[in-house]
Amino acid sequence: MESKILQLTSELYDELSQREEKDYDLTEFGLTENDIEPYFKEQKSLLLEFIEYKLNNKQKFSIEKCKKFYQELDIPYIVIDYYIKLLKKTLLKEILKLDITKDELLTIEYIFDDMLNLVANIYLKKEINKNRYLTSSKFDKFPLYNVHIDWAKKIFDAILKEDFKFFPNESASNCTFTKMMQYPESLMVCMDATLCGQLELLHKILHNNAEALYRLTIAKEYTQALFVFKEFNENLQKFFSLLKDLYHLTYIDLEKSFFKLVEMLEYSDKNIIVSMIDVQNLKQLNIKYGENKVDNILTTIESFLKERVKEDQEESLVVRAISSNFYLLSLNKEPKKFELEIRSLSQDLTNNLNRDFPNCNTSLNIASLEFDKNIKYQKDELIRILLHLKEKSKQNNGFYFAYEQAEKEELQEWLKQHYYNIQYIEEKLNNKMVDIMLQPIYRNNGKEIYAYEALARFKDKNRLIPAGVFIDTVYQIGRISDLDKLVLNAILEKKDWILSTKRKLFINTSPQSLTDSSYLKALNNFIQIYGKNNLLIEITEQQAIESFDALEEIHKAHNIKFAIDDFGSGYSSLKTVVNMINKGLVDVLKIDGSLIANLDKEEESQKIVQIVTQMCKIFKIKALAEFVENKETIQLLSHFGTDLLQGYYLSKPLYIEEIIVIN
């Protein structure tokens, strides 16, 4: 009977493999009959060996040979499953015609099922090895992502090793992920209710898939396990993909996401403390050591803070931001104990920085605000408060904690005054109560006036108040473009007097104005009326980098050139600035005032100023030094060959009437 079954199987196998008409649509898998024909012969040999092995236990069967064949086979399991099941069905029909018992018939059926189970096990492990990329990602530093990387690794390893002691067979509700969803960072990532609803649903499905996979693999039901794994794998990819989207949406504007979280938590019963952490004298560090070193310092601080917060991630969150270097959120902390923790953290961090960056003398300013449950803070208002507290921290050895009654009363007084300032500025801008004064820019002999810089002033009764007093608030309330437009109008009112001086005029623009269509329209109108001769638009070097295309458009339209302010402040991309110079956009580089203020005392600043001056000579543009405050500085700059000088030692800003008298 054994030989008869083997012979019948061989004949039916050949017949099925040679049939011209196949019931199965191979094109669904991108295959043709020619693609699968080569594998039929070797599979036939393996199948016959397996049947003989099962019918006669004395016959050996090479599992390794079988594994090697199917591991290298580039044909989906479902195709193999189809052909073997078709062969089994056909064979059983033929066997029924023979003199065979019911038990023998069942034995033949079980043999084919065992063969498919063996192949399914090989394919299952092949699929796992193919999809191990899921457990390695740049997102694995994030806790919600990382917890399921470890989880998936354990599942994969348990199945590959067929050792299920460490298979993480747990329900979704008992998963660490569910607990982590209540951490501040997770709450910040999961503020989109629709997407997070999908995430939680996928999480439950994943754990259901994993439970089914556990039950099937431990029972060695590999055919079903393979199909469950495919579903599990698809859901795992969807889960990770959705998490990536959520993290991307959160981190694309991390500061905004952080304050949305804070705003949401205000409606909870949690005690909230928000801290602003800043590196002291960052601008000077940029100038002295360059942007790369400062970025390394900030990266080191970020790593330290995140490692420290990891110990308390259920109640804490730290983010790197824009308005401040870092923000720290702390929940349910007792204020005085929190103050001790912050002082300890600052000391440890400062020690680490001074060890890793020994010549930088790095120190921190930390300002902390305990929320008043009777006040709902909005982002802009909260940032203003923290910036105010940070200034107070500078006067208190780098720390300020607003949680005592006296500190809260002081803060209330400041808020009243600050809102008065906002009302004051809004009134001046709305009523167009803006004028200008002109500060002379001298040639390097300090005697001949080369140009004037128009400076914004608020009209206040019989006096003009420098807009710089309120400039941070003007930016904060989003009115800087309005101020820039009113300055253009004030210049046009005095156009004839200014033009009569026959000197160049420098006018300032803010970064926001260069992206404001109404300001660009006003600027275009201004240039047509004032004229483009002897006119320079002053921008910061940061603007030069961020608004290159807009500057190039203005230059092409009007042949206007630019003066780059704050050059050498540490923010520049020298390549962009040189590109602007080569395209004829730049006429003047204004050396950052922090380099000039103590020029007579700082040799390092002297070297930088000499280099910038020499660079300007090479590119045939002018170097301008502002903040000239003493005779010694003039002598040094004259010696260096710096073309232009500006500062209170030479002249304070003047009324137009004073300038007419001078001329």
Side-chain angles (χ1 to χ4, degrees):
M1 182 61 71
E2 178 184 322
S3 59
K4 183 67 177 174
I5 289 172
L6 288 170
Q7 181 184 352
L8 192 56
T9 302
S10 176
E11 291 171 357
L12 290 173
Y13 191 98
D14 290 339
E15 181 183 325
L16 289 173
S17 64
Q18 291 167 11
R19 277 195 328 180
E20 292 185 7
E21 294 293 329
K22 297 286 194 303
D23 298 329
Y24 206 90
D25 184 9
L26 294 171
T27 58
E28 183 181 343
F29 303 99
L31 297 171
T32 66
E33 296 296 336
N34 291 333
D35 294 323
I36 66 170
E37 188 176 339
Y39 106 93
F40 271 111
K41 185 175 181 182
E42 189 163 353
Q43 178 170 265
K44 175 184 175 182
S45 172
L46 285 169
L47 184 58
L48 292 173
E49 284 178 24
F50 187 76
I51 293 170
E52 189 174 4
Y53 162 67
K54 285 289 187 176
L55 291 173
N56 181 1
N57 289 330
K58 294 180 181 178
Q59 178 69 32
K60 289 185 178 180
F61 177 73
S62 175
I63 295 289
E64 291 305 316
K65 179 182 174 183
C66 186
K67 282 182 182 177
K68 185 175 186 300
F69 172 68
Y70 285 109
Q71 281 170 350
E72 294 175 356
L73 194 61
D74 194 21
I75 293 173
Y77 172 80
I78 199 168
V79 175
I80 295 166
D81 181 81
Y82 166 76
Y83 280 113
I84 291 181
K85 282 181 177 176
L86 180 61
L87 177 62
K88 179 180 78 169
K89 180 181 176 182
T90 309
L91 178 62
L92 290 175
K93 281 183 181 179
E94 292 299 320
I95 289 175
L96 284 171
K97 299 174 185 177
L98 304 175
D99 184 16
I100 190 168
T101 68
K102 188 176 181 180
D103 285 345
E104 288 173 326
L105 188 67
L106 288 173
T107 298
I108 300 301
E109 186 172 0
Y110 290 153
I111 288 172
F112 275 84
D113 291 344
D114 286 347
M115 181 65 180
L116 280 173
N117 203 47
L118 172 63
V119 176
N121 189 17
I122 296 167
Y123 264 80
L124 175 61
K125 291 172 181 175
K126 185 161 70 169
E127 285 291 320
I128 288 173
N129 283 316
K130 187 168 67 176
N131 287 285
R132 273 184 172 260
Y133 74 91
L134 281 172
T135 64
S136 177
S137 167
K138 66 178 182 179
F139 287 86
D140 60 12
K141 62 183 178 181
F142 297 118
L144 287 181
Y145 196 95
N146 190 49
V147 67
H148 279 91
I149 287 180
D150 292 339
W151 181 72
K153 279 181 179 177
K154 289 176 182 176
I155 290 173
F156 292 172
D157 288 344
I159 296 172
L160 288 173
K161 296 173 183 176
E162 296 189 16
D163 182 354
F164 298 96
K165 292 192 300 288
F166 301 108
F167 191 109
N169 185 32
E170 59 189 2
S171 66
S173 59
N174 291 328
C175 178
T176 307
F177 176 86
T178 301
K179 181 182 177 184
M180 282 185 169
M181 284 291 282
Q182 300 307 312
Y183 291 1
E185 180 174 341
S186 306
L187 292 172
M188 181 176 69
V189 171
C190 272
M191 282 189 285
D192 186 309
T194 303
L195 291 179
C196 289
Q198 292 179 30
L199 187 71
E200 290 184 353
L201 179 60
L202 269 173
H203 182 238
K204 289 178 183 176
I205 293 171
L206 266 180
H207 277 268
N208 290 339
N209 289 155
E211 183 181 2
L213 196 56
Y214 173 76
R215 292 181 182 280
L216 290 169
T217 49
I218 205 166
K220 301 187 183 300
E221 298 287 345
Y222 296 115
T223 302
Q224 293 180 61
L226 177 59
F227 292 113
V228 170
F229 177 80
K230 286 181 179 293
E231 184 183 350
F232 170 80
N233 187 43
E234 287 174 9
N235 288 325
L236 193 61
Q237 290 187 58
K238 289 177 187 175
F239 181 78
F240 281 140
S241 178
L242 184 52
L243 266 177
K244 288 176 186 177
D245 289 343
L246 286 167
Y247 273 110
H248 178 73
L249 289 170
T250 301
Y251 278 78
I252 200 168
D253 191 342
L254 187 54
E255 184 171 300
K256 181 179 178 181
S257 300
F258 177 83
F259 283 102
K260 278 180 68 178
L261 170 65
V262 171
E263 188 176 342
M264 181 185 78
L265 288 171
E266 285 189 82
Y267 293 93
S268 71
D269 59 355
K270 297 179 184 292
N271 183 53
I272 301 170
I273 300 176
V274 174
S275 304
M276 176 180 274
I277 304 173
D278 259 357
V279 180
Q280 290 192 35
N281 305 317
L282 190 59
K283 189 172 183 180
Q284 283 69 27
L285 288 172
N286 258 313
I287 294 166
K288 267 191 171 185
Y289 302 107
E291 193 173 354
N292 287 339
K293 177 161 273 192
V294 168
D295 193 55
N296 287 338
I297 290 172
L298 292 174
T299 300
T300 299
I301 294 172
E302 182 178 17
S303 298
F304 177 92
L305 291 173
K306 288 193 171 180
E307 191 61 34
R308 194 74 160 241
V309 163
K310 192 185 290 184
E311 301 168 8
D312 188 29
Q313 58 184 322
E314 294 181 36
E315 303 287 358
S316 302
L317 170 65
V318 66
V319 301
R320 189 165 171 176
I322 298 170
S323 305
S324 170
N325 296 145
F326 302 94
Y327 287 110
L328 171 65
L329 170 67
S330 304
L331 303 176
N332 298 327
K333 298 279 186 179
E334 195 281 313
K336 289 189 177 180
K337 185 179 178 183
F338 171 77
E339 179 179 345
L340 292 174
E341 290 176 1
I342 285 293
R343 290 184 183 275
S344 172
L345 178 148
S346 177
Q347 185 61 57
D348 292 346
L349 178 53
T350 301
N351 290 341
N352 283 5
L353 290 171
N354 290 333
R355 181 196 66 210
D356 295 342
F357 306 94
N359 299 318
C360 294
N361 296 319
T362 313
S363 56
L364 304 173
N365 288 317
I366 303 179
S368 300
L369 170 70
E370 182 190 30
F371 279 29
D372 186 328
K373 293 191 181 296
N374 297 314
I375 300 174
K376 297 301 178 190
Y377 301 92
Q378 293 184 344
K379 176 191 172 185
D380 292 345
E381 178 186 57
L382 184 54
I383 290 175
R384 290 188 207 115
I385 291 171
L386 289 168
L387 286 170
H388 167 67
L389 297 181
K390 186 185 76 173
E391 291 304 311
K392 294 188 75 68
S393 75
K394 293 178 182 178
Q395 304 158 19
N396 288 274
N397 298 316
F399 296 98
Y400 194 83
F401 301 91
Y403 59 81
E404 297 286 4
Q405 187 61 34
E407 292 151 354
K408 288 185 176 181
E409 287 175 1
E410 186 279 333
L411 182 56
Q412 288 299 321
E413 286 301 312
W414 177 82
L415 280 169
K416 288 178 186 177
Q417 183 61 39
H418 186 71
Y419 282 115
Y420 166 76
N421 289 342
I422 292 176
Q423 291 171 1
Y424 177 87
I425 292 165
E426 294 280 10
E427 179 190 348
K428 298 302 178 188
L429 294 175
N430 292 339
N431 294 316
K432 301 182 179 180
M433 298 175 71
V434 173
D435 205 341
I436 58 164
M437 294 183 77
L438 302 175
Q439 185 172 23
I441 296 169
Y442 289 82
R443 295 190 186 276
N444 80 341
N445 58 16
K447 296 177 182 178
E448 182 186 351
I449 294 175
Y450 170 79
Y452 294 99
E453 180 180 355
L455 302 172
R457 296 290 186 265
F458 287 134
K459 295 178 184 178
D460 190 84
K461 297 180 180 177
N462 296 323
R463 58 180 181 160
L464 294 180
I465 300 178
V469 172
F470 305 103
I471 199 68
D472 288 342
T473 308
V474 175
Y475 271 100
Q476 287 166 7
I477 63 176
R479 298 293 302 271
I480 189 64
S481 296
D482 293 331
L483 178 61
D484 285 349
K485 284 186 282 187
L486 290 171
V487 167
L488 296 180
N489 292 338
I491 294 171
L492 290 179
E493 288 176 5
K494 297 174 172 60
K495 172 177 74 78
D496 294 338
W497 288 357
I498 298 172
L499 289 173
S500 69
T501 66
K502 297 182 180 179
R503 299 287 190 273
K504 288 184 180 292
L505 179 69
F506 286 52
I507 60 171
N508 291 279
T509 64
S510 65
Q512 287 86 339
S513 294
L514 288 174
T515 58
D516 185 319
S517 58
S518 66
Y519 174 80
L520 293 174
K521 184 178 179 181
L523 179 64
N524 182 64
N525 183 60
F526 170 83
I527 293 170
Q528 290 179 359
I529 297 172
Y530 186 90
K532 59 189 178 184
N533 296 327
N534 289 331
L535 185 66
L536 272 86
I537 298 176
E538 189 171 319
I539 57 170
T540 65
E541 59 171 330
Q542 195 171 6
Q543 281 175 265
I545 298 162
E546 295 172 357
S547 309
F548 181 84
D549 292 341
L551 300 174
E552 196 169 22
E553 286 299 316
I554 293 169
H555 176 70
K556 285 179 181 177
H558 305 289
N559 198 29
I560 292 286
K561 292 193 176 183
F562 299 90
I564 296 182
D565 196 10
D566 295 336
F567 187 77
S569 65
Y571 293 106
S572 73
S573 165
L574 186 59
K575 184 178 178 181
T576 301
V577 174
V578 169
N579 190 22
M580 286 186 66
I581 294 170
N582 287 334
K583 291 194 172 191
L585 275 67
V586 178
D587 190 48
V588 175
L589 285 187
K590 293 186 77 172
I591 303 168
D592 185 67
S594 62
L595 293 168
I596 307 300
N598 297 304
L599 188 68
D600 55 327
K601 300 180 184 68
E602 295 184 352
E603 289 187 13
E604 195 165 334
S605 294
Q606 292 175 22
K607 291 175 184 176
I608 295 172
V609 172
Q610 287 183 78
I611 290 169
V612 174
T613 298
Q614 187 60 35
M615 172 183 145
C616 289
K617 292 189 184 305
I618 291 170
F619 286 110
K620 298 180 181 177
I621 61 173
K622 298 174 184 63
L624 188 160
E626 52 186 352
F627 282 58
V628 175
E629 302 297 340
N630 56 54
K631 183 179 179 180
E632 292 75 18
T633 299
I634 292 177
Q635 290 172 342
L636 280 168
L637 292 167
S638 179
H639 174 68
F640 298 158
T642 308
D643 304 281
L644 304 172
L645 314 176
Q646 184 181 18
Y648 271 59
Y649 183 79
L650 294 164
S651 175
K652 68 182 190 310
L654 303 171
Y655 292 95
I656 190 68
E657 293 82 3
E658 294 176 289
I659 288 172
I660 297 300
V661 171
I662 292 172
N663 277 277

